[in-house]
Amino acid sequence: MTASVFVGTSVDGFIARQNGDLDWLPTGGGEPHGYDEFIASVDTIVIGRKTFETVLTFGAWPYGDKRVVVLSGHSVDLSAARGGIVEQMGGPPAEIVAKLAASGAHHVYVDGGITIQRFLRAGLIDRLVITRVPVLIGEGVPLFGSLPHDVRLRHVATRSYPSGLVQSEYEVVAA
Ligand SMILES: NC(=O)c1ccc[n+]([C@@H]2O[C@H](COP(=O)([O-])OP(=O)(O)OC[C@H]3O[C@@H](n4cnc5c(N)ncnc54)[C@H](OP(=O)(O)O)[C@@H]3O)[C@@H](O)[C@H]2O)c1
């Protein structure tokens, strides 16, 4: 099973404003930058509870009929995800990954700052695709956080787009 991150950040490394606002991201995701191809390659989406709450404000459920796993340590009302295939899990990332692998997941999309950080700390992310949006927002929800040790990355490619998006793809080098 492979676990990937595909995320948009400000140049100063934030994925949302402190209050969760995403108003600094280009409307509608901006110009095509590989998201459609990426999401088509994924069979399971793992999101943190806070990202789930944000997604519910979008109106239409954005993940179609993909299996979505919402992580929380509390009981989450999943009924608002109308039309979605949604379940809840929680606990150490290694246990979550083991459950997903045992239930047939092949390519997992891990999303949400805290969620990504916990998976990275546990050595469970294989690939990072980070799209930098040309803006500094000063403060907000960080993509990265503390780590127990360095995580070595292999640079796969960096692509730039006319609107100013700069996307870098990395493989996490096995420890
Ligand atoms: N720019 C982008 O591409 C992008 C992408 C994704 C999200 N975002 C934004 O980022 C913000 C959310 O990020 P965030 O870092 O605040 O939070 P998050 O990762 O979405 O959610 C954090 C919550 O997820 C739960 N959680 C995570 N790992 C868990 C585990 N292993 N076991 C049990 N529960 C677990 C916990 O919920 P409980 O507190 O309920 O226990 C935790 O408080 C939102 O504003 C969202 O819109 C931006």
Side-chain angles (χ1 to χ4, degrees):
M1 202 189 84
T2 300
S4 298
V5 168
F6 190 107
V7 72
T9 73
S10 61
V11 168
D12 45 358
F14 299 108
I15 61 169
R17 292 194 197 278
Q18 212 73 270
N19 65 2
D21 272 3
L22 299 171
D23 57 313
W24 52 276
L25 283 174
T27 316
E31 66 190 306
H33 59 279
Y35 179 79
D36 291 348
E37 294 81 356
F38 171 76
I39 200 81
S41 76
V42 156
D43 52 69
T44 307
I45 299 161
V46 174
I47 54 176
R49 189 256 310 160
K50 292 185 184 174
T51 296
F52 176 63
E53 286 172 358
T54 302
V55 161
L56 291 179
T57 70
F58 293 168
W61 180 246
Y63 300 125
D65 58 2
K66 303 267 186 199
R67 177 188 186 189
V68 175
V69 178
V70 178
L71 301 186
S72 177
H74 312 92
S75 174
V76 178
D77 177 10
L78 303 175
S79 64
R82 270 185 225 106
I85 299 170
V86 191
E87 66 200 277
Q88 187 184 335
M89 289 188 190
E95 285 179 15
I96 293 163
V97 163
K99 274 190 212 158
L100 293 174
S103 55
H106 292 293
H107 187 192
V108 178
Y109 173 16
V110 179
D111 206 14
I114 290 170
T115 303
I116 292 167
Q117 289 172 28
R118 288 188 184 164
F119 274 66
L120 269 174
R121 266 185 231 129
L124 294 168
I125 298 292
D126 301 292
R127 190 164 74 117
L128 296 163
V129 181
I130 300 166
T131 306
R132 273 164 291 149
V133 176
V135 63
L136 302 169
I137 63 171
E139 57 182 12
V141 178
L143 172 57
F144 296 119
S146 65
L147 288 166
H149 49 70
D150 294 350
V151 174
R152 298 265 160 218
L153 305 175
R154 185 180 79 79
H155 178 242
V156 176
T158 291
R159 299 170 273 267
S160 65
Y161 295 86
S163 68
L165 300 179
V166 178
Q167 182 180 78
S168 293
E169 181 175 344
Y170 300 95
E171 257 176 34
V172 177
V173 178

